[in-house]
Amino acid sequence: MRVIVCETYEELSVTAAKMVASQLLLKPDSVLGLATGSTPEGMYAELARMYERGEVDFSEATTFNLDEYYPISPDNDQSYHYFMQKHLFERVNLRPGHIHLPNGAAADVKAECAHYDQMIEDAGGIDLQILGIGHNGHIGFNEPAGELNDCTHLTSLTEDTIQSNARFFANEEEVPRQAITVGMATILTARKIILLVSGRNKSEPLRRLLTGKISTAVPATMLNLHRDTVIITDRAANDGR
Ligand code: F6R
């Protein structure tokens, strides 16, 4: 696993954005797996700037986001639909029909999950998957557990994740307790993975990942099973491990 240590969060964001742009240059119709959260915000901002400068083209790309709260309406400003519109989709030339997120308002969640996996498969799988990492080592909303689901599923958020994500909501009670997430098997079949790790509070899961030992108690450690993962970290996260 290659680890790129950047001096700052800004450098991390620019490095990641350049990799996404290179992927689209090599394969314009790439299928991109996308994450939300604070870590990739800088990368999305840089991609939007690159698009304005004519340095990246999303016109043939397809995207699949990793996860969405459940239940939540797509126009709720705390939804991941809303986040992605604001940070990327309305700022670049992705075609609306090529954008996919799990539907947090689906009446039949099981059918929604199966449909989401089918759409990823029909698109030919993920070429480049962008990931963040939870303090507890979660990937997407694959939370630490004795067993993990392979494919897209409805999951309950751990207390740790609810507390951590409360910063985006008016208060902790408003954080949805469940989410739809792509499973670890789908993530691990991505052809290339870029994991973004920023800040001192991510040092511990980063350390666990880099021990090379694999455990569902720290889902990120499963990335050790993947053949082409690049970790982009800032000094704050790296030096604390
Ligand atoms: C979000 C996601 C989560 C986040 C993780 C880190 O789509 O998949 O696994 O990547 O919770 O979140 P931040 O970046 O806010 O620390």
Side-chain angles (χ1 to χ4, degrees):
M1 207 169 317
R2 194 152 73 96
V3 182
I4 300 174
V5 182
C6 298
E7 287 306 315
T8 60
Y9 173 71
E10 288 67 34
E11 191 186 325
L12 172 155
S13 301
V14 170
T15 305
K18 280 185 186 159
M19 285 188 188
V20 173
S22 304
Q23 171 71 33
L24 291 172
L25 205 54
L26 282 168
K27 187 172 186 281
D29 62 349
S30 287
V31 178
L32 304 176
L34 301 178
T36 57
S38 24
T39 314
E41 275 183 28
M43 177 192 75
Y44 292 140
E46 180 60 16
L47 281 169
R49 281 189 289 270
M50 290 176 82
Y51 173 67
E52 274 168 29
R53 296 195 299 256
E55 294 169 4
V56 63
D57 177 19
F58 288 87
S59 62
E60 291 180 51
T62 297
T63 65
F64 286 92
N65 264 78
L66 271 177
D67 41 19
E68 177 59 285
Y69 290 117
Y70 187 85
I72 202 161
S73 135
D75 50 16
N76 183 318
D77 61 6
Q78 301 302 343
S79 73
Y80 286 169
H81 276 77
Y82 191 93
F83 175 101
M84 289 305 302
Q85 283 298 336
K86 180 172 147 201
H87 289 283
L88 186 70
F89 299 156
E90 65 186 30
R91 303 176 67 183
V92 299
N93 62 337
L94 268 161
R95 283 192 271 168
H98 286 200
I99 291 171
H100 307 86
L101 288 100
N103 178 8
D108 184 343
V109 192
K110 255 194 163 171
E112 169 63 17
C113 292
H115 175 59
Y116 203 68
D117 282 329
Q118 191 60 53
M119 286 195 297
I120 295 176
E121 202 181 315
D122 292 349
I126 308 283
D127 289 305
L128 173 64
Q129 176 69 57
I130 304 294
L131 296 175
I133 187 170
H135 308 132
N136 62 1
H138 74 206
I139 292 288
F141 277 128
N142 294 282
E143 298 277 34
E147 291 179 347
L148 292 178
N149 279 55
D150 53 352
C151 50
T152 302
H153 59 283
L154 182 68
T155 185
S156 297
L157 306 189
T158 59
E159 204 41 50
D160 186 83
T161 298
I162 292 166
Q163 276 173 26
S164 160
N165 288 10
R167 69 190 195 276
F168 299 114
F169 291 80
N171 57 58
E172 203 178 302
E173 279 63 56
E174 282 190 21
V175 184
R177 269 33 187 180
Q178 290 186 297
I180 297 174
T181 183
V182 168
M184 285 310 297
T186 308
I187 292 168
L188 290 171
T189 51
R191 289 171 195 97
K192 186 169 196 70
I193 295 177
I194 296 175
L195 173 68
L196 305 178
V197 189
S198 169
R200 177 70 184 81
N201 59 4
K202 299 294 176 67
S203 299
E204 180 55 17
L206 179 62
R207 188 189 69 74
R208 292 288 297 269
L209 165 59
L210 293 175
T211 60
K213 292 187 184 136
I214 297 160
S215 164
T216 58
V218 184
T221 59
M222 296 180 77
L223 296 176
N224 284 301
L225 295 166
H226 191 260
R227 298 168 71 113
D228 192 3
T229 292
V230 177
I231 301 173
I232 309 179
T233 173
D234 57 14
R235 200 155 275 295
N238 190 63
D239 287 2
R241 72 181 165 90

